[in-house]
Amino acid sequence: MNLLTDQWIPVRPLPAGNPVKITLRQLLCEDDRWELSLPRDDMEMAALQLLICIAQVFFLPKDIQELKQRIVSPLETGTFDEGCAPYDDWFQLDHPEHPFMQVREADAKEIIPMGKLMAGLSGATNSCFVNEPGLGSHLCGGCAAIALFNQASCAPSFGGGFKSNLRDGRWPGKDGKGGFSGSPVTTLVQGEDLRQTVWFNVLSKEKVIADLPWHRETQKQKPTWVDPIKALSIIPAQTIGLLRGLFWQPAHIELLPLNGPHSCSCCGFSGQKVFRGFKRVQFRYTIQGLWPHPHGVRTTTFKNNVPEERFISFTTLAPAWTQLSRFVVQLQTDDKTEGQQPAAVIRQAQGLVRGLRLNIGGYRNPSKLADIQERRHELIFLNDGWSNHTNIIHDLVELAKGYGNSLFNALGVFIKGLKKTKKFTGAKGIKINLHEIAKGKFFRRSEDAVLHTLSCIDFENPSSELLAMGEKLNRITTNLFNESVHPYLNDPELVRTMAISRKILNKNLKALKPQHDGRSDDETNA
């Protein structure tokens, strides 16, 4: 199965229709409108990223004008053939010498079920609730390629000494060992259909060189399954080229076919060959520095004068909007404040789109562990004008988070109580973890207000929308506080603590009156 020539992309026509499989040529060179069609949102996100990475490497636009042309018009077939020609053998899933993202003759005796290749399908704390039975029992070539890419690029490692992807959250650190922050968050621009979405997330050549100044010297590098990573090697991130980095395979994996016509347990389509399992082998190497992946959000802090740079991840139950500032606002760092760098495709979008549909995906897993606790996939719309007023987005998010923090701080006093001092007799705490329960309720109830405001706000004159959002969040916060403390109204030992907590809440809410003059980022910075 060859990703460049065969029908492997599972789609359905827009606005409605039955699922089919199409080729890469059909997607990019024809004007039909499609959307991906897979039973899991993370598989669709991985398929989208795989298509973006192929288009990025094969059909690199020479400038932003050529990129805009490809967004509005199908790719010419001659350009398609010319772009694919150098890579044809490298993207064949069952190639006899260098199969796509695999090694031949993997030195392992154990055969691993294909379900283990699909992140979170087995071993995850929530797997039995969100997956169909037998979803990963045997995969067709297309679904196997998507699962391979997802495991290598977006998911935690297999654990037990297996290396993780280039965005695994590690940073150099003073001792060179670094730390860990979990699976990477991916942020992409969502278009009207699949073809447009792919091109919205392809960087022009000038943007590639801006993030990878070593692009010219490394553009002829081969992928890891053609030119394998050497065991125990030390690899500076600045030596990894675009193709090699986008398709980095940190594990030694070999898929095992089941010949004969079978239906894929994931997409449901029949094929002449499916894959029943795989072999995997551990091997070690070290990456020095952080490779600037174009789909990831980076933060930078200084600790003891040593910069610590990492890709952000989902580590809590907080929804994606709480990190929206990181997704779209670029901030320089110093020795006191955190710097942040939105994904390159989002920075490029500031000159491409008016309203931004932000496609966000990833996994939530505990630090230093490979177990997946949650799959995350969210879509946030930012109204026209967002690109010149990212400071307002930052203020809006901080305002909404401020209401949540006011609630959490007030309940924290109610939970812990207040210590006795010479001038204060103290106050009893409830000693029950109301905080986490209220936090989940706040995020659920506030999300609609925040997302609605982001989608309709007039960035030139944002005051009225910010005020309306603030009033809604004020009511939500007050109601949640009352609900949380209501069962304890008749406890005489808690009446005083409740009154103090309420006073703290009211004081914090009063300080959260939204104010903004609507100036642009440039005017504010000036």
Side-chain angles (χ1 to χ4, degrees), residues 14 34-36 44-45 48 52 187-198 200-201 345-346 349 353 355-360 377-381:
L14 288 172
W34 306 101
E35 66 177 352
L36 286 165
E44 288 188 350
M45 190 75 161
L48 174 58
I52 292 167
T187 54
L188 301 171
V189 182
Q190 184 72 26
E192 296 290 341
D193 55 44
L194 179 57
R195 184 181 63 81
Q196 189 182 80
T197 299
V198 168
F200 267 143
N201 294 283
V345 294
I346 304 302
V353 298
L356 175 66
R357 282 180 288 189
L358 189 62
N359 194 346
I360 305 162
H377 191 189
E378 302 180 43
L379 190 65
I380 297 178
F381 178 70

Side-chain angles (χ1 to χ4, degrees), residues 59-73 75 199 202-207 348 351-352:
F59 316 113
L60 177 64
K62 64 177 182 291
D63 53 35
I64 201 71
Q65 294 305 317
E66 185 172 70
L67 175 60
K68 289 180 179 180
Q69 181 61 36
R70 292 180 181 178
I71 290 171
V72 298
S73 303
L75 192 68
W199 288 116
V202 170
L203 299 177
S204 66
K205 188 173 183 179
E206 57 190 346
K207 297 293 185 182
Q348 178 178 260
L352 285 177

Side-chain angles (χ1 to χ4, degrees), residues 11 21-22 28 30 46 55 67 118 124 153 223 273 286 323 348 382 415 420 435 455 490 496 500 508 519:
V11 295
K21 281 192 174 184
I22 62 173
L28 298 182
E30 297 178 6
L67 175 60
M118 298 180 69
S153 304
K273 180 185 289 186
T286 301
Q323 299 197 67
Q348 178 178 260
L382 303 181
I415 293 167
K420 181 178 180 181
H435 181 276
S455 67
N490 297 323
R496 189 180 187 195
I500 295 171
N508 291 337
R519 292 179 297 167

Side-chain angles (χ1 to χ4, degrees), residues 225-376:
W225 61 95
V226 179
D227 182 12
I229 304 166
K230 295 180 181 178
L232 304 179
S233 59
I234 299 175
I235 308 167
Q238 291 74 19
T239 64
I240 300 174
L242 184 64
L243 184 152
R244 194 167 172 86
L246 289 178
F247 294 99
W248 188 265
Q249 173 55 281
H252 281 180
I253 294 175
E254 182 179 15
L255 298 180
L256 302 176
L258 178 63
N259 292 320
H262 291 85
S263 294
C264 175
S265 59
C266 182
C267 68
F269 288 96
S270 297
Q272 291 300 314
K273 180 185 289 186
V274 296
F275 295 90
R276 60 187 175 88
F278 64 97
K279 295 180 180 181
R280 62 186 183 188
V281 180
Q282 295 182 8
F283 75 109
R284 296 182 180 276
Y285 59 89
T286 301
I287 300 291
Q288 289 183 332
L290 212 63
W291 194 74
H293 198 290
H295 307 156
V297 186
R298 287 173 280 162
T299 62
T300 305
T301 56
F302 279 87
K303 190 173 183 179
N304 298 325
N305 295 321
V306 177
E308 294 183 346
E309 187 178 21
R310 55 179 170 172
F311 288 98
I312 69 167
S313 58
F314 291 122
T315 56
T316 71
L317 288 171
W321 67 258
T322 61
Q323 299 197 67
L324 182 60
S325 177
R326 289 176 166 179
F327 299 156
V328 299
V329 182
Q330 186 165 347
L331 295 175
Q332 298 298 319
T333 187
D334 56 37
D335 56 0
K336 294 182 180 180
T337 60
E338 180 183 272
Q340 57 195 38
Q341 180 92 310
V345 294
I346 304 302
R347 285 182 273 126
Q348 178 178 260
Q350 289 187 284
L352 285 177
V353 298
R354 298 179 65 181
L356 175 66
R357 282 180 288 189
L358 189 62
N359 194 346
I360 305 162
Y363 301 99
R364 181 170 69 88
N365 66 297
S367 294
K368 300 182 181 179
L369 294 177
D371 292 337
I372 292 173
Q373 293 182 330
E374 185 183 17
R375 294 204 315 258
R376 303 286 293 274

